[in-house]
Amino acid sequence: MSYSTPPAAGRFRRELSYLLRGLPVGIVAFTVAVTGFALGLGTLVIGGGIPVLAGTLRAARGMARVERRELEALPGRPLPPHHYRTTGGTGLGRVVRSLAEPQSWRDLAHMVLALPLRVAGFCLAVVWTVGGVGGVLFVAWGWALPRGEDHQGLLELMTGNDSYAGEAVFMTAVGALLLATSVPVVRGMVALNRSLAGVLLTNRTAAHRAAVATAPTRTATAAAGTAGTTATAATTATAGADPSAGTTATAGTTATV
């Protein structure tokens, strides 16, 4: 699959959307992972935990696939490779063997450990964008705030200055600063999520070993295919030879006799 770097504006919108969607997705993933693991482990003695754990790992594998696709599309760069073992057999034996798949357990760990990053990313994305816009537009709505004795703005809490004009200038400057730094903050949180995915959702060593192990099989298959193509070409050439040459030679021999 080829990747292209998205435009800066479009990339920021997609990164912001990723962080905002990350909180509900992270809560669902964390709930599924913890509940499935606890339920499966608790019922493992009576045998019911095996299909529960297998189903939880299957869900973790699916969510990991979606996470990899999103994190690769945002910057337009692929993540390191990953590898899942092929589970053979049928029935209960196949289900039991699926529990020995290490990458699926790494996917499950990612569902749990990604939640703090998703919460932090959501909060920072909201503060730096919504808070920035609200600060820049403070003069449009700040006048509507009640200004009684109990009212204390941010400027007054910091400096003791309770003037509306000073608060308006201060809030506008804070909003402009937030908006000016929103791109690197959002991009930095996405990079942290990508780094965690690079640790847990990829396994360069396992993918390399799998590629090396299947290389002789691919080479033998390619060689067999080449040999079959050569034999077919030779048969076609023989079948396409001019039969009149053999007939002429036979006629010459008869005339000599």
Side-chain angles (χ1 to χ4, degrees):
M1 181 182 294
S2 60
Y3 298 90
S4 58
T5 303
R11 178 179 174 181
F12 175 73
R13 287 195 299 269
R14 285 192 288 179
E15 289 174 337
L16 181 61
S17 174
Y18 169 80
L19 293 181
L20 295 178
R21 288 182 287 108
L23 181 59
V25 171
I27 293 174
V28 171
F30 181 87
T31 304
V32 171
V34 173
T35 304
F37 179 76
L39 181 62
L41 197 63
T43 57
L44 194 61
V45 179
I46 61 176
I50 294 178
V52 172
L53 287 176
T56 304
L57 292 180
R58 193 71 180 177
R61 187 167 173 172
M63 297 199 72
R65 185 182 303 112
V66 175
E67 182 72 3
R68 290 189 201 97
R69 188 182 302 117
E70 285 203 48
L71 289 175
E72 288 177 337
L74 289 177
R77 300 193 314 272
L79 288 167
H82 62 278
H83 173 70
Y84 293 99
R85 296 176 182 175
T86 302
T87 305
T90 58
L92 183 61
R94 182 185 179 91
V95 174
V96 173
R97 280 188 290 272
S98 68
L99 299 181
E101 165 51 54
Q103 182 58 55
S104 297
W105 288 103
R106 292 160 65 91
D107 297 341
L108 185 67
H110 180 270
M111 293 172 69
V112 176
L113 298 179
L115 181 61
L117 272 182
R118 294 185 187 276
V119 173
F122 177 87
C123 294
L124 290 177
V126 170
V127 170
W128 254 257
T129 54
V130 178
V133 173
V136 170
L137 300 178
F138 180 81
V139 293
W141 59 269
W143 58 269
L145 295 176
R147 306 190 65 83
E149 294 181 357
D150 296 333
H151 171 77
Q152 286 184 314
L154 182 59
L155 180 64
E156 185 177 356
L157 290 174
M158 295 175 61
T159 65
N161 184 357
D162 61 348
S163 70
Y164 174 76
E167 185 179 4
V169 172
F170 177 75
M171 293 299 296
T172 302
V174 170
L177 179 63
L178 290 177
L179 289 181
T181 56
S182 61
V183 173
V185 169
V186 168
R187 192 151 298 170
M189 289 306 304
V190 173
L192 287 177
N193 282 271
R194 184 180 171 92
S195 298
L196 181 63
V199 173
L200 294 176
L201 301 186
T202 66
N203 194 334
R204 193 191 305 269
T205 302
H208 176 70
R209 289 175 179 173
V212 171
T214 57
T217 304
R218 291 199 303 266
T219 303
T221 302
T226 303
T229 303
T230 304
T232 303
T235 304
T236 304
T238 303
D242 188 1
S244 62
T247 305
T248 305
T250 304
T253 304
T254 304
T256 304
V257 175

